[in-house]
Amino acid sequence: MDSEMTIALIGAGSALLGALIGGGAAVIGASKAARSAYLGPIRVARRAEQAAAHKALLTAANDYDIAVSHILRMALELNQHVVAQTEGRQDVLGHSDVVAYRAEIERVGTADRVVAAVRHVALQGPKEAYEAAEGVRRMAHILEYSLAHLETSHHEASPDFEASPGVTPIVLSDAAEGLSQAIHAFAEVASEHLNGSE
């Protein structure tokens, strides 16, 4: 075989190899571009769903926190009134105050909206946000349970409430403060996730 033919064959082989490598790279590049074009909107939609779930929890938890803060003083006084009666001391509150305080406390209602919002966060994720949301749910449940047992000297422990003696002013105050802290912690985790990079 003469040298010109050898050079031609080597050149053709190199061109073919280059075309195969270039074509393969183009196919891989096109595949990645197509995948990004497909997944990009899905990621955006996912982030939007997570943001909506996080916002719903923050709204529900803040509403509950504000409602509790408005009746916390009444709850503490009603609790002290019950303790005074149990110990045979003079009543702290008059009958009309007791009735009015009970009505205001009852108006706060349950933490059901908070619980429902936490379930939505569990569905949307991420895991870190759900774990922080569980802290909000736990504190809201302790508060709800405490408000429902203000006038009970002893109660059965709930799954979130380890104490077996009755509700005390310290328990109420700590639970109210704990809810505010849990909301803040959740907001930080949610913000870090939603504003961070993928």
Side-chain angles (χ1 to χ4, degrees):
M1 187 180 295
D2 62 19
S3 61
E4 288 180 4
M5 180 65 112
T6 304
I7 292 170
L9 284 174
I10 291 172
S14 296
L16 182 58
L17 183 60
L20 287 174
I21 292 171
V27 167
I28 291 170
S31 174
K32 284 185 178 179
R35 182 174 168 80
S36 292
Y38 173 72
L39 290 179
I42 290 176
R43 285 194 186 107
V44 169
R46 180 91 175 135
R47 280 286 175 107
E49 287 295 321
Q50 288 174 335
H54 298 173
K55 180 181 176 185
L57 174 55
L58 285 172
T59 300
N62 277 321
D63 288 349
Y64 190 68
D65 188 37
I66 290 167
V68 167
S69 70
H70 287 312
I71 56 88
L72 187 59
R73 180 190 56 80
M74 292 181 221
L76 291 168
E77 287 183 19
L78 186 56
N79 182 253
Q80 289 169 348
H81 171 76
V82 171
V83 170
Q85 283 187 321
T86 304
E87 294 174 353
R89 292 185 282 121
Q90 185 177 357
D91 290 350
V92 176
L93 299 172
H95 178 71
S96 61
D97 287 331
V98 170
V99 170
Y101 284 14
R102 283 177 184 158
E104 287 298 316
I105 292 165
E106 193 172 317
R107 234 179 247 121
V108 169
T110 66
D112 290 349
R113 281 183 57 223
V114 175
V115 172
V118 169
R119 288 181 183 145
H120 196 190
V121 171
L123 178 66
Q124 296 299 332
K127 181 183 175 187
E128 295 80 11
Y130 171 62
E131 288 169 352
E134 267 296 295
V136 174
R137 183 207 58 77
R138 182 176 186 279
M139 295 314 302
H141 185 242
I142 290 173
L143 261 175
E144 175 188 1
Y145 196 78
S146 297
L147 292 172
H149 292 83
L150 279 174
E151 299 182 69
T152 309
S153 59
H154 290 85
H155 58 78
E156 295 296 320
S158 79
D160 287 323
F161 200 167
E162 297 84 4
S164 57
V167 175
T168 66
I170 291 172
V171 168
L172 275 170
S173 298
D174 286 354
E177 178 63 27
L179 177 60
S180 296
Q181 290 174 354
I183 292 169
H184 180 73
F186 172 76
E188 283 190 345
V189 170
S191 176
E192 184 177 332
H193 169 68
L194 293 171
N195 296 319
S197 58
E198 281 289 344

